Amino acid sequence: MIPKITLRQSRDFGEIINDAIVFIIQNWKGLLKAYAILCGFFIAGNILFSILLQFKVINTHKESLGGSGSYIRSPFGIEYFMVMIFGFLNIVASTLTVSSFVVIYNQKKGELPTVHEVWGYFKYYFWRVSGSMLLLFLMAIPTAIICVLPAAAMSLVSPVAAGFTGLICVMVPMCYFMTVLSLFFPIMIGENSSFGRTFGKCFKLIKKKWWSTFGVIFVIIILVYTVYLLFAIPSFIVSGGTLTFLPYNVSSVVVIIYCICMSVVQIVNIVPVTGLMVAYYSYVEDKESIGLMERIMTPLTPDKDDDEAAKLKEEY
């Protein structure tokens, strides 16, 4: 039997990914239960307005073929913005639910958190996390504009040089800051810290760990994207080569099933959030060795002596 994951433990790149997967396998029932209860409302809202949006796109496409000309402007109605809002709230809810679950698991020394306990964290951090996500987005806008300026200047000289400059000036800063700030919410929820303190600690914690963090994110993104494709490709084929169902002869049942699947599949967001939480606890342990000191000071029980002693000896 695989022993329960000890979160406060130093790990390398491969161990972070492996332990994140093992953690999900060991606690999948509790994770799914908390996710379904706390994120279910936002998923349901996303499904409802996605279906309404798809039907609206199909109907307005019919009208455009009939000469009404309403196709261009009609998709950007209340349904479109509600899909965006519920999508954002679902990201907030899934990040909060999984992060809170992992934090409580660590506090309870490996005991399964209850939904009530996760809900306590959820409602406490909801507005802080939501506001922080919006603030980070607003901060990204002027940063992106500044990064694009060199490419705009180079466009006066050569389009090719402008494209190359834009790729370097945009992609490099984006990859760097996204990797650093990937630890933002694990730190905020794990340490109950403010926006400013969390922002600063992201850079402190990831020092000398940037490449390993980027590797973890890259591998997890590939896994998640693969799962999304498994759901998207069949719908892509059935819809005649488009994911917006513009061929209006597509069955309404297909549209509904597609919207349900593409909303429910967001449950795979559990994987990247868990991976980043494991990375956070690993980096904190590297910097502060809190977990090692706790295990040294905790009396060992007879049935755990050999395993714990071996771990302590290996880490020390």
Side-chain angles (χ1 to χ4, degrees), residues 163-300:
F164 180 77
T165 304
L167 183 65
I168 299 299
C169 293
V170 173
M171 293 301 296
V172 172
M174 184 179 70
C175 289
Y176 175 77
F177 284 109
M178 287 185 65
T179 302
V180 172
L181 296 177
S182 65
L183 298 177
F184 188 92
F185 295 107
I187 294 172
M188 175 173 281
I189 299 171
E191 302 182 13
N192 189 23
S193 58
S194 63
F195 183 93
R197 182 180 180 278
T198 301
F199 193 87
K201 188 159 186 178
C202 285
F203 291 87
K204 178 182 177 182
L205 205 57
I206 208 170
K207 188 177 181 180
K208 298 182 180 180
K209 295 287 185 179
W210 190 91
W211 283 108
S212 62
T213 308
F214 177 78
V216 170
I217 295 172
F218 183 76
V219 171
I220 290 177
I221 285 177
I222 291 177
L223 293 175
V224 172
Y225 187 67
T226 301
V227 175
Y228 272 101
L229 285 179
L230 292 176
F231 282 85
I233 290 177
S235 300
F236 183 82
I237 295 172
V238 171
S239 64
T242 69
L243 290 179
T244 53
F245 299 103
L246 293 184
Y248 56 84
N249 58 337
V250 173
S251 169
S252 299
V253 175
V254 173
V255 175
I256 294 173
I257 293 176
Y258 166 77
C259 292
I260 293 174
C261 289
M262 294 309 295
S263 296
V264 173
V265 75
Q266 294 179 35
I267 197 171
V268 298
N269 291 335
I270 289 175
V271 179
V273 178
T274 304
L276 291 173
M277 289 300 298
V278 174
Y280 158 70
Y281 280 112
S282 301
Y283 298 166
V284 169
E285 183 63 17
D286 284 337
K287 300 288 185 180
E288 303 170 4
S289 299
I290 296 176
L292 179 59
M293 293 305 299
E294 286 180 351
R295 292 195 294 277
I296 290 175
M297 300 300 295
T298 302
L300 298 176

Side-chain angles (χ1 to χ4, degrees), residues 12-311:
D12 58 23
F13 161 74
E15 290 172 334
I16 290 175
I17 297 176
N18 180 71
D19 283 359
I21 295 174
V22 172
F23 181 89
I24 294 172
I25 293 174
Q26 290 181 340
N27 301 280
W28 68 271
K29 289 183 179 179
L31 274 169
L32 288 182
K33 183 178 179 180
Y35 189 93
I37 293 175
L38 300 180
C39 303
F41 172 77
F42 305 107
I43 294 175
N46 198 32
I47 291 173
L48 174 61
F49 287 104
S50 294
I51 293 173
L52 294 176
L53 177 61
Q54 290 291 350
F55 284 148
K56 185 175 183 179
V57 170
I58 292 172
N59 290 332
T60 51
H61 183 57
K62 290 180 182 180
E63 294 173 2
S64 69
L65 294 178
S68 66
S70 62
Y71 174 67
I72 295 178
R73 63 177 180 273
S74 59
F76 298 98
I78 185 65
E79 298 88 351
Y80 176 83
F81 290 105
M82 290 304 292
V83 168
M84 298 293 290
I85 291 172
F86 273 98
F88 170 76
L89 292 176
N90 189 39
I91 293 174
V92 173
S94 59
T95 300
L96 259 175
T97 300
V98 179
S99 299
S100 300
F101 186 96
V102 177
V103 170
I104 297 170
Y105 174 94
N106 178 68
Q107 291 178 346
K108 297 178 67 175
K109 309 299 181 183
E111 292 184 20
L112 189 67
T114 64
V115 176
H116 180 73
E117 291 171 331
V118 178
W119 166 245
Y121 271 69
F122 186 97
K123 62 184 180 181
Y124 179 79
Y125 286 104
F126 182 81
W127 294 112
R128 191 189 306 184
V129 171
S130 299
S132 297
M133 279 192 181
L134 288 174
L135 185 55
L136 289 173
F137 175 75
L138 294 176
M139 291 171 61
I141 295 176
T143 304
I145 294 175
I146 293 173
C147 293
V148 170
L149 289 178
M154 289 299 296
S155 65
L156 300 176
V157 180
S158 169
V160 177
F164 180 77
T165 304
L167 183 65
I168 299 299
C169 293
V170 173
M171 293 301 296
V172 172
M174 184 179 70
C175 289
Y176 175 77
F177 284 109
M178 287 185 65
T179 302
V180 172
L181 296 177
S182 65
L183 298 177
F184 188 92
F185 295 107
I187 294 172
M188 175 173 281
I189 299 171
E191 302 182 13
N192 189 23
S193 58
S194 63
F195 183 93
R197 182 180 180 278
T198 301
F199 193 87
K201 188 159 186 178
C202 285
F203 291 87
K204 178 182 177 182
L205 205 57
I206 208 170
K207 188 177 181 180
K208 298 182 180 180
K209 295 287 185 179
W210 190 91
W211 283 108
S212 62
T213 308
F214 177 78
V216 170
I217 295 172
F218 183 76
V219 171
I220 290 177
I221 285 177
I222 291 177
L223 293 175
V224 172
Y225 187 67
T226 301
V227 175
Y228 272 101
L229 285 179
L230 292 176
F231 282 85
I233 290 177
S235 300
F236 183 82
I237 295 172
V238 171
S239 64
T242 69
L243 290 179
T244 53
F245 299 103
L246 293 184
Y248 56 84
N249 58 337
V250 173
S251 169
S252 299
V253 175
V254 173
V255 175
I256 294 173
I257 293 176
Y258 166 77
C259 292
I260 293 174
C261 289
M262 294 309 295
S263 296
V264 173
V265 75
Q266 294 179 35
I267 197 171
V268 298
N269 291 335
I270 289 175
V271 179
V273 178
T274 304
L276 291 173
M277 289 300 298
V278 174
Y280 158 70
Y281 280 112
S282 301
Y283 298 166
V284 169
E285 183 63 17
D286 284 337
K287 300 288 185 180
E288 303 170 4
S289 299
I290 296 176
L292 179 59
M293 293 305 299
E294 286 180 351
R295 292 195 294 277
I296 290 175
M297 300 300 295
T298 302
L300 298 176
T301 56
D303 57 334
K304 295 183 179 180
D305 274 351
D306 294 338
D307 292 339
E308 291 293 334
K311 287 182 180 180

